[in-house]
Amino acid sequence: MNRSAGRRLTAAALTVVAVTASATACSSGEGGGSSKAADSGTYTIWDPYPQFDKGSAWAKLLDDCGTKAGVKVKRTAFDTSDLTNKALLAAQQDNSADVLIVDNPVVSTLAEAGVLTTTEDNKLDTSAVDPNLLAAGQAGGKTYGTPIGANTLALYYNKAVLKKAGVDITSVKDWRTLTAALEKVDKAGKKGITFSAIGTEEGSFQFLPWLWGSGAQLTELDSTEAVSALSLWNDWLKKGYAPNSVINNTQTTSWQEFASGDYAFAENGTWQLANAEKAGFDYGVIPVPGAKGGNAAAPTGGEFVTIPVQGATDRYTTSQKLVSCLTSGQNLLDTDTTLSYVAPTGEVQDKQVAADAKLKPWVDAVKAAKGRTSDDLGTKYPKISEQMWKAVQSALSGSKSPKDALTAAQSAVK
């Protein structure tokens, strides 16, 4: 990439990106860092995993990959949103990290700003990555980095609650049969479904499987299909199948409701698997159903490993070795197991399922998943998402009908 082009940061890219760590289940925490070491034998890696300290398996993997590449790795961990801003500012100063691991919706922002090299530039091999996952890091026909893993959403269900209500989970195949199951659960004196519809990116993240499952696109928020998706949620609240608390629920508080043992279903992510094992009741998982059947596309969470633009272009070869080491073979399996992610390649996904059969529905969900910035939306996504979550809030609070709420959203986006 042309160096001068790489240094030109758009004004839009210097704004705070409206995508939060909570939507992708990344932990937040304190982070600090310094610029790339002057020593050419030291390579800097910035990541959004402050929960992993120097003694963690993740930190040791970074060191091991550095050793294999013949260099020393200097790692700094940041909170996800802080990392985006730090990356933009570092690029302004021609002081980017050698390897940057960022939340996947952020990739298009950094790419548009000229911060990242393409895989054509850096010779990173992404041929084994599932195309739907790789799409989250593509913009303008170019690919910027490779996913380290993915998480997504599905429906957890409480087996005892469904049994009491006389619901056979295999009968839940589309929106009609899911709603019928909720009706039975309600009549049996239990609670139906909980999810997060909060007015943040988390709310958009959770609404997307229903929007996409209806056949709607993010570019047409006011379509008949989109209105049907929001009407579905709205009707569930009106009938008492979902609690009014969903309007303020984060994915964490929504999970806490499900963990009480009273709910039949909860929309949540792979990151709750450990908590599900501790819940004290038998549970199962199914992909979010589409309106007319099949698996709805749920949004992909997780991070991309990218190589930022450097003034010293001879550094790319070693950076590529570091990224390849982190995202291949046993290293990828170990990392995705630690992060509770589904691997981005079929080969490693098969190994995950072989080791833990409970991951099978999550692998299926990830295979049907879709990047929020896919369809070449790129930096348009945050604005669309904001209007979408506002529409969801307006409809569920009763201030507007689903149709009026989404019509207003589409007008605001334009």
Side-chain angles (χ1 to χ4, degrees), residues 39-51:
D39 178 6
S40 61
T42 299
Y43 278 65
T44 54
I45 296 180
W46 291 0
D47 69 50
Y49 309 130
Q51 69 269 35

Side-chain angles (χ1 to χ4, degrees), residues 44-313:
T44 54
I45 296 180
W46 291 0
D47 69 50
Y49 309 130
Q51 69 269 35
F52 298 132
D53 61 22
K54 292 181 179 179
S56 67
W58 168 248
K60 290 177 181 177
L61 173 59
L62 297 180
D63 288 339
D64 288 345
C65 285
T67 299
K68 289 177 181 177
V71 297
K72 180 180 178 182
V73 165
K74 182 176 182 181
R75 175 234 179 181
T76 307
F78 296 90
D79 171 83
T80 293
S81 56
D82 192 31
L83 177 56
T84 304
N85 296 327
K86 287 287 196 302
L88 288 165
L89 291 172
Q92 271 192 313
Q93 299 161 3
D94 194 11
N95 206 16
S96 293
D98 290 291
V99 175
L100 184 63
I101 304 173
V102 292
D103 193 13
N104 73 65
V106 175
V107 174
S108 57
T109 296
L110 298 180
E112 184 178 283
V115 174
L116 304 178
T117 61
T118 69
T119 53
E120 184 179 356
D121 293 331
N122 58 45
K123 310 305 179 188
L124 189 63
D125 182 9
T126 60
S127 59
V129 178
D130 288 353
N132 67 313
L133 301 182
L134 192 63
Q138 293 174 327
K142 297 182 182 297
T143 302
Y144 299 87
T146 187
I148 198 167
N151 55 43
T152 194
L153 296 166
L155 295 182
Y156 287 85
Y157 62 90
N158 184 318
K159 293 183 179 180
V161 171
L162 292 186
K163 184 177 181 180
K164 180 181 178 182
V167 174
D168 180 355
I169 192 61
T170 62
S171 70
V172 178
K173 297 179 178 179
D174 52 26
W175 290 2
R176 181 187 62 78
T177 51
L178 175 58
T179 300
L182 296 178
E183 182 180 4
K184 286 184 177 181
V185 168
D186 183 60
K187 287 181 178 178
K190 288 292 187 177
K191 299 176 181 178
I193 187 168
T194 179
F195 47 87
S196 170
I198 194 170
T200 68
E201 177 62 21
E202 284 188 79
S204 290
F205 191 72
Q206 291 239 321
F207 183 60
L208 275 172
W210 310 96
L211 179 89
W212 284 332
S214 73
Q217 301 295 322
L218 281 166
T219 50
E220 294 183 53
L221 294 178
D222 57 349
S223 68
T224 301
E225 293 82 3
V227 172
S228 72
L230 187 49
S231 296
L232 180 74
W233 273 18
N234 201 46
D235 289 345
W236 285 349
L237 261 69
K238 285 183 178 179
K239 294 177 179 177
Y241 300 164
N244 288 326
S245 58
V246 299
I247 296 174
N248 297 311
N249 268 350
T250 63
Q251 293 180 110
T252 298
T253 55
S254 172
W255 178 261
Q256 290 167 349
E257 288 179 336
F258 180 67
S260 70
D262 291 329
Y263 283 86
F265 294 95
E267 181 184 0
N268 228 295
T270 41
W271 53 92
Q272 299 292 3
L273 280 170
N275 289 328
E277 293 296 328
K278 301 173 185 175
F281 54 80
D282 285 339
Y283 74 93
V285 178
I286 58 170
V288 176
K292 298 179 180 179
N295 298 343
T300 55
E303 292 77 44
F304 262 64
V305 190
T306 66
I307 299 176
V309 172
Q310 300 290 344
T313 57

